Amino acid sequence: MRRASFALVAALLCASPVIAGEKHYSNQRFGTSVSFPAEIFSRASIPPANGDGMTWFSTDGASLAVFGGYNVLSQSPGDLIAEAAGPGVTITYSRAGKDWAVVSGTEGEDIFYQRSEFGADDVVHSVILRYPASLKAKYDPLVGPIAASLDGP
């Protein structure tokens, strides 16, 4: 019995992303939430009047935007990926499921990663991580845990 309990605890710990010195943010309007390293993304933007999200900045040029919004255009996950493409943007990775989309690539000197999840009440919850390509080794390991922590009601 003790061995089974230990195995269950170990499995739960492995399934939950852990971010050292994490800050947990949840916006009041849509309930979009995410966890991220507070020591890296230490400077927050001024909250927008509509309460749809926030952006945090690092001292070395990276940013982390977390927001929710109504899907007023009835976009699909594939539509969100197509929307990310544009002049000066190179898409290097994209995947979509029934209720989620991930797109990553480069724009100018920056790498970007966006994850969006389609939630209840036709709300899309999103996180966008953007950082200088020269800092890829620092930020790439953070992408997975931050993206995995994205949640909405």
Side-chain angles (χ1 to χ4, degrees), residues 8-19 22 35 144-146 148-149:
L8 178 61
V9 170
L12 289 173
L13 288 174
C14 290
S16 301
V18 176
I19 302 171
E22 86 175 0
S35 296
I146 291 171
S149 74

Side-chain angles (χ1 to χ4, degrees), residues 56-129:
W56 287 266
F57 302 93
S58 71
T59 57
D60 57 12
S63 65
L64 175 68
V66 181
F67 55 94
Y70 292 114
N71 191 3
V72 295
L73 300 177
S74 299
Q75 291 181 300
S76 69
D79 292 336
L80 290 184
I81 291 171
E83 188 178 84
V89 174
T90 301
I91 304 295
T92 57
Y93 177 84
S94 65
R95 294 287 180 271
K98 182 180 135 214
D99 59 358
W100 59 273
V102 170
V103 62
S104 183
T106 59
E107 183 174 14
E109 300 295 317
D110 289 341
I111 294 172
F112 70 90
Y113 176 93
Q114 177 176 340
R115 179 172 179 87
S116 297
E117 295 181 359
F118 291 67
D121 300 322
D122 211 21
V123 172
V124 179
H125 307 277
S126 299
V127 61
I128 301 174
L129 182 60

Side-chain angles (χ1 to χ4, degrees), residues 10-48:
L12 289 173
L13 288 174
C14 290
S16 301
V18 176
I19 302 171
E22 86 175 0
K23 173 179 178 61
H24 184 78
Y25 164 78
S26 182
N27 83 30
Q28 292 181 356
R29 183 173 181 195
F30 295 109
T32 306
S33 66
V34 73
S35 296
F36 58 91
E39 69 275 3
I40 293 177
F41 297 101
S42 56
R43 188 172 48 93
S45 64
I46 296 171

